[in-house]
Amino acid sequence: MAPRALDYESLNENVKKVQYAVRGELYLRASELQKEGKKIIFTNVGNPHALGQKPLTFPRQVVALCQAPFLLDDPNVGLLFPADAIAKAKHYLAFTTGGLGAYSDSRGMPGVRKEVADFIERRDGYPSDPELIFLTDGASKGVMQILNTIIRGEGDGVLVPVPQYPLYSAAISLFGGSLVPYYLEETENWGLDVNNLRQSVAQARYKGITVKAMVIINPGNPTGQCLSESNLREILRFCYQENLALLGDEVYQQNIYQDERPFISARKVMMDMGPPISKEVQLVSFHTVSKGYWGECGQRGGYFEMTNIPPKTVDEIYKVASVSLSPNVPAQIFMGLMVNPLKPGDISYEQFIRESKGVLESLRRRARMMTDGFNSCKNVICNFTEGAMYSFPQIQLPPKAIETAKKAGKVPDVFYCLKLLEATGISTVPGSGFGQKEGVFHLRTTILPAEEEMPAIMASFKKFNDEFMEQYDDRSGYSRLKLYSLFLAGYLTVPIIILLAALVLDPNHSMGFPNKPPVVDGGLDLDGSKRWVIAGIPLRAPLKPISTNPVKKEINDGNDDDEQSNCATTSTTPTSEEARIPSRLVCPPAPRKRKATFKCNYSGGVREFFTPPDLETLFVQGAN
């Protein structure tokens, strides 16, 4: 018998290629364990209400009245609902053509699209056209609609950041296109290097792929980084030079957990840059009610805005949207409420601000708790979550664990995450589902578990992880090396102490430098050498950006008589652009009012430096 239409052998090959790790093997196993009675903590997906976040009161009141408009005719409605909620419900019902049960325009209700345009203008300082705004069933539907419009076949490529949210790889596979990866640099807090972009485009073109668009996720998912204005300018210039459309996934724009790098939209930066970029770069931006302090994932409300898109293309996008008739109407009202929020003086304003600020402040604390928790674990390294809803720690798996995973037919980080799930009930997503460099392993977890539960969750993770590392640490293979290392360390301890004492006491030396190094651009060239040297010990790599771990720094202006007055102790996180060290071998001046790991007030040269958390991360400053 020949295969039937829906037999597996007959299916569209593009459907078979689609992979979506967020709801993949780990999620399915977690669901099985839950049915068996095991308590599961689903941190695999950014689903705030499922992990205990309470819905905001005012939007739910408004939508409740819109869903049951007969309540508005009840003489006692004012006893149950505040007057501003009643007025808002009437406002949105007037936008409909028969209440929430009727289709809207395929682009969404014109009145709500106008509110979105006004929001964008307030945010960016430039007018927005409601005719170029489409309301969608969540941002994901909008992303898929635009990718479907762009991709003609496997010869068309889309630049996607790696690690990436697997919506993009899945949709590109589904539509038959080619994903062109560009790698973010973990050691530079998941920064973006335009040179890597150029290499990715060149490699794709060499393979015969026409790169048509570039995706940015700001703040990042799964990496949590926030793009600076200078990053965005570089990206926009690159898109202009390479003739690429830019897709700006900005759904986490409310989720910012530090003050040094606030969210700024790609559209605002593009408009600030002026012609020709502001007139020629094609930009599509996405937003949603699912994230931020709203967290209304189940409502499925989103929008996309198009800039510099030709009218004929807009007509084609409208035509395809019309096939689905209408985005869901209640979600459109949620979107209107998000972009046109309560104002000071409104009856419900104080409660709304109290609830929304409470959510964001708690998320900020949870981001720090999770980062610190991961960094306290053996063989785990985690950058601070600057924004979005996720931590993406690197798990340095022992060779024995990798070998065991391969024998079991598992990708190593999948193996680790399955063991974690079985032992603790914590459901995560392996880093391989987002893409990562060869031989490097991660997992993604949300920062959404309730704040009061976070210490217990991180303690459970630490216990599992450290026991896992102990179990798979192949001690026998390293015993001789360790014994030799211990012997060597003991043998060299006394000579090193004598050497350091001689350097410190010798007035002609300054921490290993025979003469004061020349000052270059406010920093040090360290005799023009290609290696950095502290106390005569060459470092293994050029400087890396300062760690976002809190550091202590002690300032001394070289005045020994007034040493105490020049010292300040704080616990801050140097994450601003000024506090970051460039990759070249020249350091900017140190930020003031931070206490150093080491205090050096040698008149001959180096004055201060700190080393969080290892010798490869180093700051050196010359005396003024």
Side-chain angles (χ1 to χ4, degrees):
M1 180 178 175
R4 295 167 295 176
L6 287 175
D7 287 348
Y8 181 80
E9 297 79 6
S10 302
L11 296 182
N12 182 339
E13 288 301 317
N14 290 340
V15 171
K16 297 179 185 178
K17 291 177 185 176
V18 170
Q19 294 184 5
Y20 190 67
V22 173
R23 293 290 177 93
E25 180 181 358
L26 266 294
Y27 174 76
L28 296 175
R29 179 58 182 150
S31 299
E32 290 175 2
L33 291 172
Q34 187 179 48
K35 290 177 183 177
E36 295 171 7
K38 187 176 181 66
K39 181 184 176 182
I40 302 298
I41 304 168
F42 285 99
T43 69
N44 59 298
V45 63
N47 193 9
H49 292 187
L51 287 167
Q53 180 175 314
K54 302 299 182 185
L56 301 176
T57 302
F58 182 76
R60 288 298 184 95
Q61 290 172 328
V62 174
V63 174
L65 288 167
C66 291
Q67 290 280 20
F70 53 83
L71 293 176
L72 295 169
D73 299 325
D74 191 308
N76 296 318
V77 66
L79 299 177
L80 295 174
F81 295 91
D84 48 5
I86 294 170
K88 275 285 189 181
K90 292 178 178 178
H91 167 77
Y92 285 113
L93 285 171
F95 287 168
T96 70
T97 55
L100 272 59
Y103 289 131
S104 74
D105 185 288
S106 297
R107 297 167 295 180
M109 291 185 284
V112 176
R113 289 189 284 121
K114 175 64 166 60
E115 290 182 331
V116 173
D118 292 342
F119 158 75
I120 293 170
E121 182 173 356
R122 289 194 307 271
R123 185 194 67 189
D124 296 343
Y126 297 95
S128 175
D129 185 353
E131 297 299 305
L132 299 175
I133 294 168
F134 282 47
L135 305 182
T136 55
D137 294 338
S140 297
K141 281 292 180 70
V143 168
M144 294 182 73
Q145 188 170 345
I146 295 301
L147 287 174
N148 194 22
T149 303
I150 290 173
I151 295 170
R152 299 166 297 181
E154 63 182 359
D156 286 342
V158 179
L159 274 168
V160 176
V162 175
Q164 53 100 27
Y165 176 46
L167 163 67
Y168 292 95
S169 54
I172 291 168
S173 295
L174 184 62
F175 302 135
S178 295
L179 185 148
V180 180
Y182 66 91
Y183 287 90
L184 304 177
E185 291 299 326
E186 185 171 12
T187 56
E188 299 189 13
N189 205 29
W190 300 111
L192 182 153
D193 186 342
V194 173
N195 290 327
N196 290 342
L197 290 176
R198 298 191 192 284
Q199 290 175 5
S200 295
V201 170
Q203 290 170 3
R205 287 174 178 163
Y206 180 78
K207 297 175 184 177
I209 295 171
T210 301
V211 183
K212 297 186 67 179
M214 175 179 174
V215 173
I216 58 171
I217 307 175
N218 183 35
N221 177 7
T223 50
Q225 89 287 2
C226 297
L227 293 176
S228 67
E229 183 175 352
S230 60
N231 286 151
L232 290 167
R233 287 178 177 273
E234 285 184 315
I235 290 165
L236 286 159
R237 258 186 232 104
F238 173 77
C239 289
Y240 173 72
Q241 294 164 354
E242 301 294 339
N243 196 26
L244 305 177
L246 180 61
L247 309 185
D249 183 335
E250 299 174 338
V251 301
Y252 296 101
Q253 59 189 264
Q254 293 175 336
N255 295 99
I256 306 296
Y257 311 126
Q258 39 72 45
D259 301 320
E260 291 80 6
R261 215 189 293 254
F263 170 78
I264 181 169
S265 73
R267 182 179 182 274
K268 173 174 173 51
V269 175
M270 185 174 78
M271 293 301 180
D272 286 348
M273 293 176 76
I277 288 175
S278 64
K279 296 292 186 182
E280 295 188 30
V281 172
Q282 296 179 334
L283 171 66
V284 185
S285 304
F286 305 90
H287 199 9
T288 183
V289 301
S290 298
K291 309 303 177 184
Y293 49 81
W294 288 66
E296 294 281 4
C297 299
Q299 307 295 346
R300 310 311 301 136
Y303 76 76
F304 63 84
E305 182 206 23
M306 298 174 284
T307 306
N308 296 329
I309 308 299
K312 285 187 176 180
T313 302
V314 175
D315 290 343
E316 294 299 314
I317 294 171
Y318 189 4
K319 177 183 70 180
V320 173
S322 299
V323 174
S324 298
L325 294 174
S326 164
N328 88 77
V329 177
Q332 296 182 50
I333 296 174
F334 272 101
M335 178 58 71
L337 290 163
M338 187 181 80
V339 299
N340 185 20
L342 289 162
K343 298 173 179 60
D346 290 340
I347 296 169
S348 302
Y349 176 77
E350 293 298 331
Q351 181 184 16
F352 177 79
I353 292 298
R354 186 169 60 253
E355 291 175 349
S356 57
K357 283 184 68 176
V359 171
L360 287 178
E361 288 171 359
S362 176
L363 285 170
R364 181 183 282 232
R365 290 191 296 270
R366 281 178 272 174
R368 172 55 65 192
M369 290 165 69
M370 188 161 274
T371 303
D372 291 346
F374 282 131
N375 283 326
S376 74
C377 297
K378 184 177 181 180
N379 291 358
V380 179
I381 302 171
C382 187
N383 284 319
F384 177 63
T385 301
E386 294 182 343
M389 292 181 172
Y390 312 98
S391 281
F392 197 64
Q394 181 184 141
I395 313 296
Q396 298 176 337
L397 296 174
K400 185 177 177 182
I402 295 172
E403 185 63 29
T404 304
K406 290 179 179 177
K407 288 179 180 178
K410 301 291 184 186
V411 176
D413 53 9
V414 173
F415 177 77
Y416 177 90
C417 290
L418 281 169
K419 292 288 187 182
L420 172 66
L421 173 63
E422 301 278 353
T424 67
I426 301 172
S427 176
T428 59
V429 187
S432 52
F434 301 92
Q436 54 197 354
K437 291 183 178 179
E438 187 70 27
V440 181
F441 306 106
H442 300 83
L443 63 78
R444 189 195 79 167
T445 176
T446 71
I447 62 169
L448 296 174
E451 186 173 351
E452 61 272 17
E453 297 177 5
M454 190 69 78
I457 291 172
M458 296 313 298
S460 176
F461 177 88
K462 179 177 176 61
K463 181 176 183 293
F464 160 78
N465 175 83
D466 292 356
E467 289 177 354
F468 179 95
M469 297 301 173
E470 187 74 17
Q471 177 184 354
Y472 289 99
D473 183 8
D474 191 2
R475 293 168 180 263
S476 61
Y478 295 95
S479 57
R480 292 185 180 179
L481 177 61
K482 289 181 179 179
L483 287 171
Y484 178 76
S485 299
L486 289 170
F487 168 79
L488 189 62
Y491 185 79
L492 293 178
T493 298
V494 174
I496 288 174
I497 291 174
I498 294 172
L499 171 64
L500 289 174
L503 289 172
V504 169
L505 296 174
D506 188 346
N508 296 320
H509 285 75
S510 177
M511 288 298 288
F513 299 113
N515 297 299
K516 177 180 177 181
V519 175
V520 180
D521 293 341
L524 292 173
D525 194 340
L526 299 194
D527 303 326
S529 69
K530 297 300 182 183
R531 296 183 301 176
W532 292 81
V533 180
I534 289 297
I537 303 172
L539 301 184
R540 292 168 290 170
L543 295 187
K544 296 179 180 179
I546 291 175
S547 165
T548 57
N549 295 329
V551 298
K552 292 183 178 179
K553 188 167 188 185
E554 185 169 345
I555 299 299
N556 186 288
D557 289 332
N559 184 350
D560 294 339
D561 297 329
D562 192 25
E563 178 177 291
Q564 197 66 28
S565 64
N566 288 312
C567 295
T569 302
T570 58
S571 180
T572 57
T573 303
T575 55
S576 67
E577 287 298 315
E578 291 74 25
R580 293 178 183 275
I581 300 175
S583 58
R584 63 198 177 102
L585 299 183
V586 174
C587 290
R592 303 289 291 176
K593 296 183 180 178
R594 293 193 175 104
K595 188 169 182 176
T597 305
F598 295 89
K599 171 187 169 185
C600 309
N601 56 352
Y602 306 104
S603 59
V606 176
R607 183 178 68 193
E608 62 188 51
F609 64 88
F610 61 85
T611 60
D614 56 40
L615 277 177
E616 289 189 11
T617 305
L618 180 67
F619 191 104
V620 183
Q621 178 176 330
N624 294 328

